[in-house]
Amino acid sequence: MLHPVNARLDEHLPADHKLSKVYRVGAGLTGLLLVAFGILGLVDRIGFFDTGGDTVLALNTNGALSVLSICIGALLFAGMVVGGTFASTLNIVLGIAFIVSGFVNLALLDTGLNFLAFHIQNVLFSFVVGVMLMWFGMYGRVGSALPHDNPYWRARHPEQAARETRVREGFRTGHGTA
């Protein structure tokens, strides 16, 4: 019999759980990449809404995109510092935002509304970063084969988790059956 899932995305992960390292590393590395891109764009003194085709690290940029990259990178650094489910949820949300941004900016290529100076390589970068952030955020949280000691699996299957805990404790105390 199927039971509704009562677990929310922001629950059920102890602060010191090993999955937190994955979420922190994903947020930190992506944040570092975005901050570096943004700083290099600002150092080049590109106009804020210039769409002249200035590139940094093989991606088109302007001052607005550079500042936006630094802000999002700083937000990811904050996620790295906090860790836990906050970092995981932040990675998922920003991953989705990057994918949506890729589609929106793909539609705006070669229009006057392309104020972030996106070209196709920027769109592809948005898709890659979005998928990467989502992978980091969802790692160990979703899937059909999560191990039974995973806190998210335990939250989604509380009755079975309680039975397994009773059986484990029974074996430890010598009262379990084979």
Side-chain angles (χ1 to χ4, degrees):
M1 182 156 102
L2 294 176
H3 298 284
V5 176
N6 293 324
R8 293 179 26 200
L9 270 179
D10 60 350
E11 295 179 352
H12 311 298
L13 182 66
D16 61 342
H17 197 275
K18 61 187 174 187
L19 289 174
S20 184
K21 292 177 186 166
V22 175
Y23 309 143
R24 285 175 184 247
V25 167
L29 289 177
T30 308
L32 179 67
L33 176 69
L34 292 172
V35 167
F37 173 75
I39 289 172
L40 290 173
L42 289 179
V43 167
D44 280 351
R45 297 177 190 248
I46 301 167
F48 201 73
F49 290 112
D50 183 20
T51 57
D54 296 303
T55 61
V56 170
L57 299 175
L59 297 172
N60 270 35
T61 192
N62 62 17
L65 184 57
S66 295
V67 169
L68 183 62
S69 297
I70 291 170
C71 291
I72 293 173
L75 184 59
L76 284 165
F77 277 135
M80 178 187 71
V81 170
V82 173
T85 54
F86 176 78
S88 173
T89 303
L90 181 66
N91 285 343
I92 293 168
V93 168
L94 288 179
I96 291 168
F98 267 90
I99 290 172
V100 169
S101 168
F103 281 116
V104 167
N105 284 295
L106 181 63
L108 296 177
L109 290 179
D110 298 327
T111 70
L113 297 173
N114 186 8
F115 62 90
L116 292 178
F118 263 56
H119 284 178
I120 193 66
Q121 62 267 28
N122 297 77
V123 170
L124 296 174
F125 179 79
S126 283
F127 290 149
V128 169
V129 169
V131 169
M132 184 176 68
L133 279 172
M134 287 179 58
W135 183 85
F136 277 121
M138 291 181 184
Y139 184 83
R141 286 184 84 164
V142 296
S144 62
L146 294 175
H148 290 204
D149 65 341
N150 181 292
Y152 297 107
W153 183 90
R154 296 181 71 70
R156 291 181 189 116
H157 304 90
E159 295 164 359
Q160 187 175 350
R163 278 195 305 272
E164 290 178 7
T165 299
R166 284 193 301 274
V167 168
R168 259 193 318 275
E169 289 175 1
F171 278 114
R172 269 191 236 136
T173 62
H175 297 96
T177 59

